[in-house]
Amino acid sequence: MSVSTVAAGQAVCRDISGPLSVLGRDVTVPLVTGGEVTYAALDYAASAPALQRVWDDVAAYAPYYGSVHRGAGYLSQLSTDLFENARRTVTEFLDCRADDQLIFTRSTTDSLNLLAAALPDGCQVFVFETEHHASLLPWQNAQVTYLDAPRTPQQAVATLQEALAARTASIQEGQGPALVCVTGASNVTGELWPVRELAATAHAHGARIVLDAAQLAPHHPVSVQDLDVDWVAFSGHKLYAPFGSGVLAGRADWLRAAGPYLAGGGASRKVTRRTDGGVDVEWHDTAARHEAGSPNVIGAYSIAAACRALAEAGFESLVAREQHLIDIVRAGLAEVPEVRVLSLFGDEAPRVGVISFVVEGWNSSHFAAALSAEYGIGVRDGLFCAHPLVRTLLGSDPQTQGECGAPETAPGEKSLNAIRVSFGAGTPDEHVERFVGAVKELVRDGARWQYRTEDGRCVPAV
């Protein structure tokens, strides 16, 4: 099922199955009020817990770990095959074109910085101010046009159309190409963006488009061909895979034409000394060109294992179950007048399991600290590394200073931050039900403990 299909409101399977098994599901944490409780991990948008299936697959491989692409021994050959098979698995998961390249990176941030380093001279980049910093900031060495936050999906398409049309009208001979960068699902509001329509608009004006799928890929299938994007980037740690790995997949021409992202072994095919004392280097034109050094084979394998697990579980069932959880949270928050849910596109916009909100009369960091200390619920508070977007949603001065996740005032005082609850394939109903009940209780009765600010965080007073 594509993003546009979901966004169009077409029916999905409503067979609600149970959560997938994840690590940490039985971990208990102490409460400041006494006793322990099973931890409710509701910060999936930052890092999702690893699937038990992924952990088991990695554990089964670990004794056979060996160097990749370098060794003649059996374990090296086995690890090399596993690494390249992982590349094929992820390529299939993303439904890439036959001539696309897939590069393993450290993260979404690393992937987009790699692409930024590969931009042709004179490239103009168009990016909405609503992006996560991973996709907002890497383009500093290009000519960047920042687009204002749209308030509907249709306005997003119209805004991009207007910006690209203005570029087309003023284009000069020798001017470089254009690239559009857009998220698939907001890391702040969870709202789905009209990716296919934005891609069609970009291509109509001769521009290319890269999709930040960090928040989309764990929740919905991502087809490079169906969405018609030129590149896609995502992170393993949001896709239920541990070990700090990521992916950049898409068109090969700009990547082959650019110098290696990192210079070193693996990226070079041939190195020779010159008579003048220097060296000549012949670089690979495959994905290896941008994978210098010993690769993170376990990270790559864990992403592939996660892709297999999600595909086998079936995205229609996963999407339906997540919508069930979304409905529980949104209905519960709607019963609390003091809660304001943040949204660009409105209440009816389709979304993934990411919901941000503020509570009247509460510092968001204080509220998040109370959820953790008194209820064993882990959420995120702050600006979520999407400062311009959160400031737009909160109606604040765009010049106001702030740090990701750091409270700026004492508990109970107004602050420029919000609370984010996020969940996914491993979340049981009890976790979101406990969250809704805790929100209602905190708003009605207040915190049962005293809190103070320490090292930029709101923490229980001892």
Side-chain angles (χ1 to χ4, degrees):
M1 181 173 297
S2 70
V3 177
S4 292
T5 298
V6 176
Q10 295 185 14
V12 297
C13 171
R14 296 301 297 177
D15 178 22
I16 307 299
S17 58
L20 300 185
S21 180
V22 295
L23 294 181
R25 60 190 178 277
D26 298 323
V27 168
T28 59
V29 295
L31 303 179
V32 293
T33 51
E36 293 187 341
V37 67
T38 302
Y39 183 65
L42 296 179
D43 194 15
Y44 275 47
S47 284
L51 288 171
Q52 184 68 53
R53 156 79 178 276
V54 172
W55 191 261
D56 292 344
D57 285 353
V58 170
Y61 160 66
Y64 301 93
Y65 174 85
S67 64
V68 176
H69 297 148
R70 314 279 203 281
Y74 179 82
L75 296 190
S76 292
Q77 294 296 308
L78 179 66
S79 293
T80 298
D81 286 346
L82 182 143
F83 184 72
E84 293 304 332
N85 282 331
R87 196 189 309 275
R88 284 188 283 274
T89 296
V90 182
T91 296
E92 293 173 0
F93 179 79
L94 293 173
D95 190 27
C96 292
R97 296 166 289 258
D99 55 351
D100 283 343
Q101 279 190 357
L102 187 142
I103 300 168
F104 285 114
T105 67
R106 295 182 303 152
S107 60
T108 306
T109 301
D110 196 35
S111 296
L112 293 171
N113 275 272
L114 190 164
L115 183 60
L119 295 181
D121 291 342
C123 186
Q124 183 176 1
V125 179
F126 295 82
V127 56
F128 286 93
E129 67 170 350
T130 47
E131 294 291 311
H132 185 281
H133 294 172
S135 47
L136 185 73
L137 301 181
W139 323 106
Q140 300 302 306
N141 292 328
Q143 179 185 350
V144 187
T145 299
Y146 295 104
L147 306 175
D148 292 340
R151 302 313 297 225
T152 65
Q154 295 76 18
Q155 187 181 16
V157 176
T159 297
L160 181 62
Q161 161 68 26
E162 182 178 355
L164 291 176
R167 176 185 182 273
T168 301
S170 62
I171 197 166
Q172 300 176 0
E173 185 177 351
Q175 188 170 339
L179 175 70
V180 176
C181 180
V182 68
T183 189
S186 170
N187 78 301
V188 176
T189 68
E191 292 164 318
L192 296 175
W193 278 61
V195 176
R196 185 190 290 116
E197 292 78 6
L198 291 168
T201 300
H203 293 153
H205 291 274
R208 296 190 180 189
I209 186 168
V210 56
L211 170 64
D212 175 354
Q215 300 296 340
L216 181 63
H219 304 275
H220 287 274
V222 175
S223 168
V224 168
Q225 296 192 71
D226 180 49
L227 296 174
D228 197 21
V229 294
D230 298 282
W231 293 277
V232 61
F234 70 89
S235 294
H237 71 103
K238 300 187 194 302
L239 195 78
Y240 311 101
F243 304 117
S245 53
V247 166
L248 175 68
R251 302 199 181 277
D253 53 349
W254 287 9
L255 300 173
R256 287 175 178 153
Y261 185 45
L262 298 174
S268 55
R269 178 186 284 119
K270 181 180 179 181
V271 181
T272 57
R273 286 292 300 274
R274 296 195 305 264
T275 56
D276 64 3
V279 296
D280 288 322
V281 185
E282 180 182 336
W283 304 103
H284 283 293
D285 60 6
T286 62
R289 184 182 190 88
H290 299 292
E291 292 178 343
S294 296
N296 181 1
V297 59
I298 289 182
Y301 183 50
S302 69
I303 286 184
C307 290
R308 287 192 296 269
L310 292 175
E312 290 170 10
F315 266 108
E316 287 198 353
S317 176
L318 295 175
V319 168
R321 185 169 189 285
E322 186 171 316
Q323 187 60 54
H324 164 69
L325 298 177
I326 292 170
D327 292 344
I328 292 174
V329 173
R330 293 186 65 196
L333 294 181
E335 294 175 357
V336 185
E338 293 85 353
V339 168
R340 176 166 72 92
V341 173
L342 305 183
S343 174
L344 273 175
F345 300 155
D347 290 343
E348 301 306 313
R351 67 194 66 223
V352 299
V354 179
I355 299 171
S356 295
F357 62 98
V358 292
V359 183
E360 182 181 347
W362 281 82
N363 173 294
S364 294
S365 295
H366 184 201
F367 201 89
L371 286 173
S372 174
E374 300 178 28
Y375 298 92
I377 298 170
V379 298
R380 180 62 63 98
D381 66 275
L383 299 176
F384 318 126
C385 290
H387 293 190
L389 171 56
V390 178
R391 289 177 175 135
T392 293
L393 295 172
L394 294 179
S396 66
D397 184 339
Q399 304 302 317
T400 304
Q401 296 298 309
E403 299 179 14
C404 279
E408 298 164 345
T409 57
E413 298 178 9
K414 183 179 180 181
S415 64
L416 180 62
N417 58 358
I419 306 153
R420 183 181 69 191
V421 56
S422 53
F423 40 86
T427 305
D429 286 22
E430 187 275 328
H431 287 186
V432 297
E433 290 167 352
R434 191 198 317 172
F435 164 77
V436 169
V439 169
K440 292 179 179 179
E441 193 169 282
L442 282 171
V443 172
R444 183 186 68 237
D445 303 331
R448 291 172 287 173
W449 204 261
Q450 294 297 313
Y451 295 82
R452 59 186 174 83
T453 300
E454 178 181 291
D455 297 328
R457 297 297 310 164
C458 191
V459 299
V462 295

